[in-house]
């Protein structure tokens, strides 16, 4: 254990011990273990023979044609560029440069496009050098493409240098600058807003492409007021009837949370194509409006518009969320009928995910193993399905199986498998995954680090969580909450309180989950004043409408001994579900109002769940109400709840304490079959 902690302080997980069930193998091979080290002295005149660069190295596919016609050279370069094989394309460019063969602007354009897609700044600079060598740097078309490439790759200074040499009255260089800012994905909303304002100040005639990029940026930044102004400008300039811009406006309004405005724009489209329908479905899914997604899918089919692969990839996961398996099967039949969609990996992974969420692992596995082109995404979807359906060991073994098939787990796979390790308390496998994440440069990643913290805390090694947290370069609300949760679950409540206070001194403000964790600490430590302060924050941020926050607040006042306040909070909740009812029952139990708690259970306005029965049985146990406990236990089949070992243990303990040993023994035998 000591060695493990010391190794983690350097940023690496402790060395995993040999295990039969090993997720990732980091042990050296037998030859490496047995072969003694060799020490050699360098020779004075040793010269390494460099293999000459030949035509065969540059043109492995069509060598005989290149000696006759340069057009075939350009075709090879373009083909590699389309496949994003920049290394091969640049190798050919080096060769033709040595031979003095000129390259045309169209060929360079295709290579720049590949650099933009892959965001390869270093390779883009090499292409820029080749353009300069070929005397094409003054070419306005290529210069515009280079501006977009540099902006997309995050090098705004180099983009500006090239941009300043272009004619400012033309809209195309400006569009390249706007597009590059959007593609860069670094949330450069302010930079784009400055460029947009500068274009308007100089009187540049914005076209559809300009407005499309601007609206996309506003959608990404949820800049509703700026988007509304741009919408007005589109109406003024007569661009509002354009299909591309209307679809962009729908997307922008949805991402700003303005569902009604998005619907109004959609309703104004005279002839809706599949792209417009897809924007609506994606918007409803983004805003967690599952019912509307399914309604619009039916409406779309009724209108005679056939779903494409994008629509299927949007709708099928929503079907899984609402567990509409029958509708999911209809979509699956449509996919099989179209044939071309059945080969697309996003559609396959969506179907796997849908069947898993519906609890139909047989169909999910059938789709998975029937796919000839499955990838890491499909494996991760199946792994998540195993985890959701309680097959945790199979989920963990999937990491081995996917590697045996030649697929390397990515960041999403790691984020999926770490909670599985936490639930299984699989510390050794968690360490191996930690080592793999370091080896693959997945760290520092806030999401992965937070998952690692939770995994180590669940395994009882909270010092690892603390070290990971202390070494984080950037923290967010999730990482702060993960640290607080880790300390609470390991009984370090005072330390959790210290982390809470440290968080409040930063720029990050607690979200609903962090607030709930803070309330649990206040309740356990009986910190009444701090609990009331947090209650004030809940009211200010309108977190009272969040069920688990209201439930935790009721529970906290119950632990404070203030049942009246707990009732007031309960009565203020607009929609009371089983979580809030259970919290009030527990509050009565904390204050020894046992009869009131049982009466409240029988008059619940929502169906009790697993936790409700555990809470009420515990109250019966503390009060010694044997008959009430047995009656309540017998009600569980009515609500389609299977008794767990926890429920049986509470009942056995109560019966034993009250001298009903035979009955207790019978219940204990029943629990052994679980």
């Amino acid at each position: 254990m000591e060695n493990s902690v010391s190794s983690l302080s350097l940023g690496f997980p402790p060395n995993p011990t040999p295990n039969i069930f090993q997720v990732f193998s980091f042990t050296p091979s037998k030859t490496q273990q047995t072969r003694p080290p060799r020490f050699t002295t360098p020779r004075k005149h040793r010269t390494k023979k460099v293999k000459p660069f030949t035509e065969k190295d540059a043109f492995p596919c069509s060598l005989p044609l290149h000696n006759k016609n340069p057009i075939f050279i350009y075709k090879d370069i373009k083909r590699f560029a389309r496949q994003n094989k920049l290394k091969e394309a640049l190798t050919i460019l080096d060769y033709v440069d040595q031979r003095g063969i000129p390259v045309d602007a169209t060929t360079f354009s295709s290579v720049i496009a590949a650099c933009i897609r892959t965001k390869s700044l270093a390779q883009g600079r090499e292409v820029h050098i080749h353009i300069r060598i070929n005397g094409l740097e003054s070419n306005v078309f290529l210069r515009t493409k280079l501006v977009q490439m540099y902006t997309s790759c995050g090098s705004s200074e180099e983009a500006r240098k090239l941009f300043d040499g272009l004619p400012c009255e033309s809209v195309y260089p400006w569009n390249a600058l706007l597009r590059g800012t959007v593609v860069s994905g670094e949330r450069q909303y302010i930079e784009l807003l400055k460029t947009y304002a500068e274009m308007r100040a100089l009187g540049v005639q914005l076209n559809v492409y300009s407005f499309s990029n601007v609206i996309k940026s506003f959608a990404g930044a949820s800049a509703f007021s700026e988007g509304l102004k741009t919408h007005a400008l589109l109406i003024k300039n007569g661009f509002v009837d354009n299909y591309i811009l209307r679809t962009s406006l729908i997307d922008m309004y949805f991402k700003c949370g303005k569902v009604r405005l998005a619907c109004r724009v959609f309703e104004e489209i005279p002839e809706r194509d599949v792209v417009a329908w897809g924007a609506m479905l994606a918007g409803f899914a983004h805003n967690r409006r599952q019912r509307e997604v399914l309604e619009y899918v039916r409406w779309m089919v009724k209108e005679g518009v056939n779903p494409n692969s994008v629509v299927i990839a949007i709708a099928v996961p929503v079907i899984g969320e609402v567990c509409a398996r029958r509708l999911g099967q209809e979509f699956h039949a449509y996919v099989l009928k179209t044939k071309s969609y059945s080969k697309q990996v996003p559609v396959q992974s969506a179907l796997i995910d849908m069947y898993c969420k519906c609890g139909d692992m047989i169909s999910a596995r059938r789709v998975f193993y029937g796919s000839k082109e499955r990838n890491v995404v499909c494996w991760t979807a199946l792994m998540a399905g195993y985890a959701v359906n309680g097959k945790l060991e199979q989920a963990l073994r999937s990491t081995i199986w996917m590697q045996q098939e030649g697929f390397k787990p990515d960041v999403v796979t790691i984020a999926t498998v770490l909670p599985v390790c936490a639930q299984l308390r699989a510390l050794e496998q968690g360490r191996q995954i930690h080592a793999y994440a370091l080896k693959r440069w997945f760290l520092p990643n806030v999401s992965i680090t937070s998952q690692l913290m939770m995994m180590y805390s669940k395994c009882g090694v909270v010092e690892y969580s603390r070290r990971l947290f202390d070494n984080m370069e950037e923290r967010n609300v999730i990482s702060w909450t993960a640290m607080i949760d880790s300390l609470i679950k390991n009984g370090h409540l005072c330390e959790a309180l210290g982390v809470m206070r440290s968080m409040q001194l930063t720029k990050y403000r607690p979200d609903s989950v962090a607030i709930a964790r803070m309330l649990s600490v206040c309740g356990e430590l009986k910190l009444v004043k701090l609990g009331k302060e947090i209650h004030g924050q809940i009211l200010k941020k309108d977190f009272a409408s969040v069920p688990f926050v209201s439930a935790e607040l009721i529970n906290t006042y119950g632990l404070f001994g203030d049942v009246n306040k707990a009732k007031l909070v309960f009565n203020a909740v607009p929609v009371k579900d089983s979580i809030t009812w259970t919290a009030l029952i527990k509050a009565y139990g904390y204050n020894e109002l046992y009869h009131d708690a049982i009466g409240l259970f029988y008059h619940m306005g929502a169906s009790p769940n697993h936790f409700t029965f555990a809470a009420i049985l515990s109250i019966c146990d503390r009060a010694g109400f044997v008959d009430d406990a047995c009656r309540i236990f017998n009600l569980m089949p009515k609500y389609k709840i299977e008794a767990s070992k926890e429920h049986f243990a509470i009942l056995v303990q109560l019966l034993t304490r009250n001298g009903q040993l035979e009955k207790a023994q019978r219940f204990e035998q029943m629990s052994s079959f679980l």
Side-chain angles (χ1 to χ4, degrees), residues 54-56 59-68 76 95:
T54 63
E55 289 183 359
K56 188 178 179 182
F59 308 110
C61 302
S62 51
L63 175 61
L65 299 172
H66 292 294
N67 294 328
K68 298 176 183 179
D76 264 349
Y95 175 80

Side-chain angles (χ1 to χ4, degrees), residues 227-399:
L228 207 59
K229 290 175 189 175
T230 306
H231 191 175
L233 195 63
L234 291 175
I235 295 168
K236 183 182 176 182
N237 293 346
F239 284 121
V240 76
D241 292 331
N242 185 274
Y243 278 94
I244 296 170
L245 294 180
R246 275 184 166 170
T247 307
S248 298
L249 284 169
I250 290 167
D251 179 60
M252 185 268 295
Y253 282 130
F254 269 124
K255 284 180 178 172
C256 293
K258 307 297 178 182
V259 178
R260 285 186 182 179
L261 285 173
C263 291
R264 188 173 295 177
V265 174
F266 178 75
E267 286 163 8
E268 289 173 359
I269 301 174
E271 294 181 7
R272 306 174 189 108
D273 60 359
V274 72
V275 179
W277 285 102
M280 289 299 291
L281 297 174
F284 283 127
H286 179 77
N287 287 275
R288 309 291 297 170
R289 302 281 192 97
Q290 289 97 338
R291 190 183 69 181
E292 283 88 343
V293 172
L294 301 183
E295 284 177 1
Y296 271 69
V297 167
R298 292 189 184 99
W299 185 12
M300 181 182 73
V301 174
K302 195 176 179 181
E303 290 281 324
V305 180
N306 291 323
N308 62 7
S309 58
V310 177
V311 169
I312 292 165
I314 294 166
V316 169
V318 174
I319 291 166
E321 287 172 18
V322 298
C323 296
R325 182 172 168 272
R326 187 73 177 268
L327 183 60
Q329 286 177 324
E330 289 179 23
F331 262 96
H332 191 183
Y334 176 76
V335 167
L336 293 172
K337 186 180 177 182
T338 52
K339 291 183 181 179
S340 61
Y341 295 157
S342 62
K343 295 177 183 177
Q344 295 184 18
V345 175
V347 174
Q348 290 168 352
S349 59
L351 285 168
I352 293 164
D353 180 64
M354 180 271 295
Y355 279 123
C356 289
K357 284 176 180 174
C358 293
D360 188 357
M361 287 303 298
I362 295 170
S363 297
R365 284 166 58 88
R366 190 179 291 125
V367 174
F368 178 81
Y369 288 109
S371 169
K372 294 178 181 178
E373 298 179 6
R374 56 178 175 263
N375 62 0
V376 178
V377 179
C378 294
W379 273 105
T380 306
L382 187 68
M383 195 183 301
Y386 281 134
V388 167
N389 288 279
K391 298 181 179 181
L392 301 177
E393 290 188 359
Q394 279 179 281
L396 198 54
R397 286 195 188 98
S398 296
T399 56

Side-chain angles (χ1 to χ4, degrees), residues 40 128 131 140 156 220 243 322 412 440 443 459 471 599:
T40 57
H128 189 179
I131 290 169
V140 176
S156 54
Y243 278 94
V322 298
V412 181
R440 297 277 295 171
L443 298 173
C459 294
N471 291 330

Side-chain angles (χ1 to χ4, degrees), residues 413-433:
T413 311
I414 298 300
T416 305
V417 77
L418 278 172
V420 175
C421 293
Q423 286 181 271
L424 288 172
R425 307 292 192 273
L427 181 59
E428 292 302 321
Q429 285 75 32
R431 286 169 174 170
Q432 292 165 28
I433 293 165

